[in-house]
Amino acid sequence: MFSPIDTRPVILTGDRTTGPLHLGHYVGSLKSRVALQHSHRQFLLLADMQALTDNSGDPEKVRRNVLEVAIDYLAVGIDPTLTTICVQSALPALAELTMLYLNFVTVSRLERNPTIKTEIQLRGFERDVPAGFLCYPVSQAADITAFKASVVPVGEDQAPLIEQANEIVRRINRQIGRDILVEAAAMVPTVGRLPGIDGKAKMSKSQGNAIPLSASSDEIRGAIRRMYTDPDHLRVSDPGKVEGNVVFTYLDAFCGDQQLVDGLKAHYRRGGLGDVTLKRCLEDILQALLAPIRERRARYAAEPDYVMGILREGTWRARERTEATLGELRAALGLFTLA
Ligand code: TRP
């Protein structure tokens, strides 16, 4: 599978290790990664260094979640014989490349990056933004280029980061006079973002509106019971609204039978379909989806040495690849080498 003449396109993506993954991650990225590992040479980065850029006050959380996210990957069906899973902080070439790239980008360009601008506002950093946070697009450019990835699956909000990475690639290639670094294309999911159970735009652990992949069957039931429907749908016989009704958004995302969903929508609009019955239908689907994931999760969680072995092997493989890129670049730029 990892033959040196593997010509499949290289894909790199990753997650900040700030908490266990949830259903939003499953819909938005995990599911497609499981499919992409067959058609692409896939690397998954546990981005603990990037996680520190806005979590410097809680390194213990970042460390703990490296293993948690790895277990989530394995539980949803990421196969370590098909996908290389590696740990960012154990890849020193990424840090060296970041230092190099910082000279090929300006502070004002970083401040204008739409992703960073929004995220700084969201976190209320204002002028007190950590330098590491302002520069994380550069570190992400190092991640992408170190692996020579040509495809980077990211959410729509992260697309400007790929553009910024490609700018750095062009600058460096121009400086060297050769195309050593590879430009990457963002691969933005075609499915919409899964809202939180409260109907807020984004499912997020910090908002308390997420269903984690590790949720017990009681937690799943409780979350669906709290799920936002149509506040004006008071009696079963009342006509209800489907738009903005989270239960229907989830049915669209998780029920394989669109005809069934369309039938439920028509019935709900007409009146006569109660929230309790509707929610039971969604619950059956989510329980069936999450039960095997939860079971596999528990089995991997009980074998931390096995998971650690997978990370060790993946990170070694990634080290070779990222150090090769760094070496090429050092030579091409003519950095000093100790004789
Ligand atoms: N920024 C991504 C996130 O917020 C994580 C990440 C780090 C990443 N390095 C990457 C994604 C490289 C794609 C490519 O989850």
Side-chain angles (χ1 to χ4, degrees):
M1 263 315 148
F2 295 104
S3 127
I5 55 162
D6 190 343
T7 55
R8 293 172 303 169
V10 175
I11 211 166
L12 170 80
T13 185
D15 296 281
R16 294 182 182 194
T17 58
T18 52
L21 304 183
H22 51 60
L23 270 182
H25 295 110
Y26 183 80
V27 173
S29 60
L30 296 173
K31 210 173 144 190
S32 66
R33 292 177 191 175
V34 172
L36 286 165
Q37 64 186 345
H38 297 284
S39 52
H40 289 68
R41 187 163 177 195
Q42 180 164 254
F43 293 87
L44 285 187
L45 187 66
L46 294 158
D48 57 343
M49 278 300 228
Q50 191 180 109
L52 280 176
T53 63
D54 64 341
N55 286 279
S56 58
D58 201 353
E60 148 63 18
K61 175 180 83 178
V62 171
R63 184 191 58 77
R64 183 166 23 92
N65 280 299
V66 169
L67 220 50
E68 292 298 315
V69 175
I71 291 170
D72 284 330
Y73 287 168
L74 298 170
V76 297
I78 296 291
D79 177 346
T81 68
L82 298 172
T83 294
T84 301
I85 306 174
C86 54
V87 183
Q88 189 181 33
S89 67
L91 297 168
L94 299 182
E96 288 185 50
L97 285 170
T98 304
M99 279 304 280
L100 261 173
Y101 293 0
L102 280 169
N103 305 305
F104 292 85
V105 65
T106 65
V107 173
S108 73
R109 172 65 179 92
L110 286 165
E111 285 172 341
R112 269 186 284 118
N113 184 312
T115 309
I116 290 294
K117 245 168 106 169
T118 323
E119 290 183 342
I120 287 177
Q121 262 167 15
L122 251 133
R123 288 164 178 74
F125 281 143
E126 302 192 2
R127 286 299 299 163
D128 288 328
V129 54
F133 189 84
L134 180 67
C135 297
Y136 96 73
V138 181
S139 133
Q140 191 153 319
D143 301 339
I144 295 167
T145 54
F147 287 92
K148 298 204 168 173
S150 59
V151 184
V152 181
V154 283
E156 202 173 351
D157 54 328
Q158 294 249 319
L161 296 185
I162 311 301
E163 199 156 315
Q164 173 121 51
N166 286 338
E167 254 174 62
I168 295 173
V169 166
R170 288 192 290 271
R171 286 209 171 171
I172 292 178
N173 283 345
R174 197 183 319 127
Q175 176 65 36
I176 297 167
R178 262 188 304 145
D179 286 348
I180 286 191
L181 298 179
V182 177
E183 287 191 50
M187 187 171 156
V188 174
T190 46
V191 291
R193 210 186 256 295
L194 193 71
I197 60 167
D198 56 359
K200 295 249 174 67
K202 189 175 173 178
M203 180 177 276
S204 130
K205 184 176 142 68
S206 59
Q207 296 278 323
N209 64 4
I211 302 179
L213 295 176
S214 57
S216 68
S217 80
D218 282 350
E219 284 165 339
I220 297 167
R221 185 167 310 122
I224 294 174
R225 197 169 295 149
R226 291 198 309 281
M227 200 170 268
Y228 182 85
T229 59
D230 170 6
D232 297 324
H233 186 237
L234 299 175
R235 274 177 303 250
V236 172
S237 56
D238 287 344
K241 252 178 73 181
V242 166
E243 289 69 31
N245 186 323
V246 181
V247 180
F248 281 108
T249 312
Y250 278 48
L251 283 171
D252 280 331
F254 295 104
C255 177
D257 185 348
Q258 195 57 47
Q259 231 174 334
L260 175 74
V261 179
D262 290 342
L264 290 170
K265 284 180 180 172
H267 193 179
Y268 197 80
R269 285 198 176 103
R270 213 166 48 231
L273 176 58
D275 279 10
V276 174
T277 312
L278 177 69
K279 285 185 167 182
R280 199 168 300 134
C281 178
L282 176 62
E283 193 195 330
D284 287 344
I285 293 166
L286 290 188
Q287 296 285 12
L289 171 72
L290 289 175
I293 295 177
R294 179 173 60 240
E295 278 157 31
R296 281 198 297 268
R297 227 194 160 283
R299 264 185 278 145
Y300 287 118
E303 301 284 346
D305 290 348
Y306 172 78
V307 181
M308 196 64 92
I310 286 170
L311 296 188
R312 211 179 295 124
E313 214 182 293
T315 304
W316 274 337
R317 211 179 290 138
R319 221 177 248 185
E320 244 174 74
R321 191 169 176 88
T322 54
E323 274 168 22
T325 306
L326 175 65
E328 261 184 287
L329 211 54
R330 288 184 63 120
L333 281 168
L335 294 198
F336 184 82
T337 38
L338 263 184

